[in-house]
Amino acid sequence: MTAELYAALDEGQRAAVLAPAGPVCVLAGAGTGKTRTITHRIAHLIAAGHHAGDEVLAVTFTTRAAGEMRTRLRSLGAGAVQARTFHSAALRQLAYFWPRVVGGEMWPVIEHKMRLVAAVAKRVGAGTDTPTLRDLASEIEWAKACLIAPDDYLRAVGTLQRATPVDAQTVARAYSAYESAKTDARQLDFDDLLLHICAILENDEDAARPFRARYRCFVVDEYQDVTPLQQRTLDAWLGGRDQVTVVGDANQTIYSFAGASPRYLLDFERRYPHATVLRLERDYRSTPQVVTLANRVIAGASGATATKRLTLKAARPDGPDATFEEHPDEPAEAAAVARRAKALIAGGMSASSIAVLYRINAQSEGYEQALAAEGVPYVVRGGERFFARADVRAALVELNKVARAEVARAPAAGDSDTGAAESGAADAAFDGETGLVPQVRAVLGRVGLTPTPPPPGALRDRWDALAALVSVAEELSAVDASATMTTFVAELAQRAQSQHAPSVDGVTLASLHAAKGLEWDAVFLVGLTDGTLPIQHADTPEAIEEERRLFYVGITRARSRLMLSWALARQEGGRRVRSRSRFLTGLVPSSGVRTAPGARGQRHKPGRCTGCGGPLATAAEIKAGRCQACPSTADPGLVAELKAWRKGRASDASVPAFVVFSDATLMAIAERRPCDRAALLAIPGIGRSKLDTYGSEVLSIVAGHAAS
């Protein structure tokens, strides 16, 4: 490396690059140039003679990031370095060792495991619909990433109090059958690549010796999100050595649901007491306005990750202040975002430098429609367009059948056998219901629309998509009381056609998880209500803190313009019972909120203790509505009644008690004594799903206790 390349680094980056060989931990905040730092450190280690290029293995989490790293290394004269994902590196190594250690040709890798999952699901009596299969596959992947064997699965989920998307007993049977079927077929999945290379390097010294002679230095990016399986792989590669550089940011730990854990980053110094630890906090991505807001959000974090908290310092000049907008309902919010995006593009900003970020993929549909209505091109990242989703296509098939049967029942339809059959099916589906909306609900009930939403997971994603179709029927009925299934299907077809926007230079629509590692000039953070961010099933302190970090990740995606918004109701004209996200408490004064037309009536107040009136700092205090210094006002008798009810409900559903309501949520109910659904929904930890499932019972208990 030349002196000019060293001079181009800032003081923190240069310290990380020039750190001595051995264990190094670089705590790198968002926008601080971590990829630049990693690649320059590798080039320095080679130039200084510590390692040859082909002795270095750099691993990261996406093929895109690995490709970017290889490009930069080539430009620094370090093209011999391997930069791969964990799985890509393990596949290459296993292909070499398998014939020598196992013998014979390496078993093929299953690229699409759903067919095998479907076969074992049928065998163990589980559902075979696509959402259930996805949930089973995800749960198996989580177990393997956490090094949990099939025989240990039930004990592990019980110990961890994990709310499984499919019944835990069913998952355990499916997991065991999946592993057996895979072995019988002499196949591997991607997690097996890591498991097998670990086993070879841990147990076969003849294989491990030449491997460790070849690879002497390791660099791991995004270290805050490694899983136990990936850490075991790294340990097997190292073989007790300490030539490792890790780079991570505890503030951006957002994949715990997939088995990732920040503890390896947090405990790095404990494992390597002589490690060099450096911090990168100078942010070159975002304006001071964005950086200040991000710092204020993460300053409220608690728990283990807060011990490695980074405070960003903006290197860019000032930009516009972040904006906060409140809307009467979600359609109004989406329409406002679409108009604002259109105006930015008209002002010279490219569509590809704009992003709309939301918590869950089901939120994309409203923004797809709104952008299409404004003629703004868009790209959905990390998911299909709404009308291209398999569950939506299946629903459209059923709706079209009923629409054709509706036409067949008309006098001009004649005596067609097909029409008669479809007509009979339609009559059976309606079961006496009249009106478009009940008919649509009845038809969609055949493809997964249940009266109450399922737990989080693929089944819930399908339910949300089907519920969105019902909302279209409701909108159509509101403007045309005589609307039929035929007109409804025609409306859906028209909407699907209008959403076929070009995929080039389009506004990015993405979930906050899918946005990790990316950046845009302008970012809209939407749907910022309690129950959505934090998500309603985040009812433990750890889960709430991960939601806070997810919000932080969203903010730090913006380079210069950041627009935050929320809606008080889901549907147009609906009851405005939502509260803006608790993460916004204290960030912005009331005068700083732009209230959209029709959004008046927001009852939310900044978090203040109901006892002393002081500010509420932690997630637990916000949920309770009081600070730790003030005593609880809950009636012990009411708390006991609520806990007894919860125990019975949990027993009936065969789930842990916390899945119904956490202790903190029960205490908040007992303290606030809600008298109606709106008051109950305002309690943090209670979202629309739990309100629909448990609301009437809880309100009855509270009212009965008050009467007695």
Side-chain angles (χ1 to χ4, degrees):
M1 288 174 57
T2 64
E4 290 77 11
L5 288 176
Y6 288 119
L9 303 169
D10 69 25
E11 183 178 352
Q13 293 170 343
R14 193 177 306 113
V17 168
L18 299 177
V24 174
C25 177
V26 182
L27 302 174
T32 57
K34 68 181 179 65
T35 304
R36 176 190 184 90
T37 303
I38 293 171
T39 52
H40 278 68
R41 173 163 176 77
I42 293 171
H44 167 73
L45 290 172
I46 296 170
H50 295 294
H51 298 285
D54 58 3
E55 294 178 353
V56 181
L57 175 59
V59 289
T60 187
F61 282 77
T62 66
T63 55
R64 182 189 64 81
E68 180 183 356
M69 193 179 291
R70 285 193 295 270
T71 299
R72 295 199 186 194
L73 287 169
R74 282 195 298 270
S75 70
L76 295 172
V81 173
Q82 285 195 44
R84 298 179 176 274
T85 65
F86 270 99
H87 292 91
S88 172
L91 174 61
R92 180 184 175 93
Q93 294 159 18
L94 200 58
Y96 173 81
F97 284 116
W98 190 284
R100 295 164 174 79
V101 177
V102 181
E105 196 171 327
M106 178 179 161
W107 293 358
V109 179
I110 305 171
E111 293 192 14
H112 306 288
K113 67 175 66 171
M114 296 306 291
R115 182 177 299 176
L116 182 58
V117 173
V120 300
K122 184 176 181 180
R123 187 183 311 165
V124 302
T128 56
D129 55 287
T130 300
T132 299
L133 296 179
R134 287 177 181 167
D135 284 339
L136 285 173
S138 296
E139 198 66 7
I140 291 170
E141 289 171 359
W142 169 81
K144 298 183 77 167
C146 293
L147 297 173
I148 298 169
D151 291 344
D152 297 327
Y153 175 80
L154 285 175
R155 182 171 62 253
V157 297
T159 301
L160 297 171
Q161 295 189 329
R162 180 175 175 84
T164 59
V166 179
D167 174 68
Q169 294 277 1
T170 302
V171 176
R173 293 195 303 270
Y175 182 14
S176 180
Y178 170 82
E179 289 297 303
S180 296
K182 184 161 50 65
T183 301
D184 292 343
R186 301 171 69 86
Q187 294 178 315
L188 305 172
D189 63 20
F190 282 103
D191 292 317
D192 290 332
L193 299 176
L194 302 186
L195 288 167
H196 280 284
I197 199 62
C198 285
I200 289 173
L201 295 179
E202 290 168 353
N203 301 316
D204 192 319
E205 184 59 32
D206 289 338
R209 191 181 305 108
F211 174 88
R212 290 168 185 151
R214 166 72 187 279
Y215 294 106
R216 300 174 180 272
C217 178
F218 300 87
V219 178
V220 185
D221 190 16
E222 302 287 1
Y223 192 57
Q224 78 279 353
D225 281 321
V226 297
T227 66
L229 175 55
Q230 289 166 337
Q231 180 62 45
R232 179 179 169 186
T233 304
L234 177 61
D235 290 341
W237 287 342
L238 284 165
R241 297 169 295 174
D242 64 1
Q243 295 298 302
V244 59
T245 298
V246 300
V247 185
D249 178 7
N251 291 352
Q252 298 187 69
T253 303
I254 60 172
Y255 292 107
S256 296
F257 67 90
S261 173
R263 71 176 183 268
Y264 305 111
L265 175 67
L266 301 176
D267 293 344
F268 191 82
E269 291 175 84
R270 186 175 298 119
R271 183 172 189 179
Y272 299 104
H274 59 298
T276 302
V277 180
L278 300 136
R279 302 166 76 93
L280 300 183
E281 297 178 303
R282 190 165 176 78
D283 186 329
Y284 295 93
R285 174 189 298 160
S286 304
T287 62
Q289 287 75 11
V290 173
V291 168
T292 298
L293 188 64
N295 284 337
R296 293 178 67 187
V297 167
I298 210 63
S302 60
T305 58
T307 63
K308 299 290 186 182
R309 182 184 300 147
L310 297 169
T311 302
L312 299 176
K313 302 172 182 63
R316 292 188 57 186
D318 278 346
D321 289 333
T323 63
F324 299 81
E325 291 193 0
E326 184 175 274
H327 299 275
D329 48 60
E330 288 184 1
E333 183 182 11
V337 168
R339 289 193 299 270
R340 188 79 174 271
K342 185 176 183 179
L344 290 174
I345 294 169
M349 187 177 290
S350 68
S352 60
S353 63
I354 302 171
V356 179
L357 306 182
Y358 36 75
R359 176 60 179 85
I360 58 174
N361 287 324
Q363 293 173 266
S364 72
E365 189 259 350
Y367 293 91
E368 293 176 50
Q369 289 185 354
L371 290 168
E374 291 290 341
V376 176
Y378 64 87
V379 178
V380 181
R381 183 177 181 84
E384 301 170 291
R385 297 178 189 273
F386 178 78
F387 286 99
R389 296 172 187 166
D391 42 22
V392 174
R393 293 200 307 270
L396 293 178
V397 169
E398 295 299 318
L399 292 168
N400 273 286
K401 286 181 183 178
V402 177
R404 288 198 300 271
E406 186 177 77
V407 173
R409 287 196 299 271
D415 296 323
S416 165
D417 290 339
T418 302
E422 291 183 342
S423 176
D427 291 340
F430 297 159
D431 194 25
E433 296 278 6
T434 59
L436 177 58
V437 175
Q439 291 176 355
V440 170
R441 286 187 181 277
V443 174
L444 297 183
R446 303 202 299 251
V447 291
L449 184 66
T450 54
T452 57
L459 288 172
R460 178 57 183 268
D461 290 343
R462 179 183 67 179
W463 191 93
D464 286 336
L466 298 177
L469 292 176
V470 174
S471 69
V472 175
E474 291 171 340
E475 294 171 13
L476 183 59
S477 295
V479 297
D480 181 7
S482 63
T484 64
M485 189 66 72
T486 304
T487 54
F488 175 60
V489 168
E491 170 71 11
L492 292 178
Q494 184 178 9
R495 292 189 179 213
Q497 183 178 12
S498 68
Q499 291 175 27
H500 291 169
S503 60
V504 178
D505 195 29
V507 171
T508 299
L509 298 178
S511 71
L512 290 167
H513 283 102
K516 179 75 167 62
L518 304 174
E519 58 187 76
W520 295 270
D521 288 337
V523 168
F524 294 89
L525 284 179
V526 301
L528 301 179
T529 60
D530 262 357
T532 302
L533 189 72
I535 199 72
Q536 62 185 5
H537 56 267
D539 54 6
T540 66
E542 294 79 13
I544 292 294
E545 287 309 305
E546 180 136 338
E547 294 288 301
R548 180 190 298 276
R549 295 192 295 270
L550 196 56
F551 183 36
Y552 173 84
V553 166
I555 290 173
T556 55
R557 300 309 95 195
R559 297 188 189 108
S560 58
R561 293 181 179 271
L562 180 62
M563 292 142 284
L564 304 93
S565 62
W566 59 92
L568 303 181
R570 178 182 179 185
Q571 298 176 351
E572 186 174 0
R575 291 186 62 195
R576 299 168 190 169
V577 297
R578 291 177 169 178
S579 296
R580 72 190 186 208
S581 172
R582 71 193 70 174
F583 298 144
L584 295 173
T585 300
L587 288 185
V588 103
S590 299
S591 59
V593 178
R594 182 182 303 166
T595 303
R600 298 171 187 263
Q602 161 76 313
R603 294 188 296 274
H604 174 86
K605 294 181 175 63
R608 292 284 172 180
C609 176
T610 55
C612 65
L616 303 177
T618 68
E621 289 180 343
I622 292 171
K623 177 171 283 192
R626 58 179 171 80
C627 63
Q628 291 182 347
C630 289
S632 172
T633 59
D635 185 317
L638 178 55
V639 173
E641 286 186 47
L642 289 169
K643 286 188 174 181
W645 164 83
R646 180 181 66 174
K647 181 178 179 181
R649 277 303 234 136
S651 177
D652 292 342
S654 299
V655 298
F658 76 90
V659 173
V660 179
F661 282 129
S662 67
D663 286 345
T665 300
L666 277 192
M667 186 61 70
I669 293 170
E671 291 185 347
R672 301 191 188 190
R673 302 178 184 89
C675 59
D676 56 29
R677 288 171 61 87
L680 188 59
L681 187 64
I683 295 175
I686 300 180
R688 179 64 62 181
S689 174
K690 291 195 175 184
L691 179 69
D692 292 341
T693 305
Y694 307 121
S696 60
E697 298 172 42
V698 170
L699 292 173
S700 177
I701 293 170
V702 173
H705 186 82
S708 65

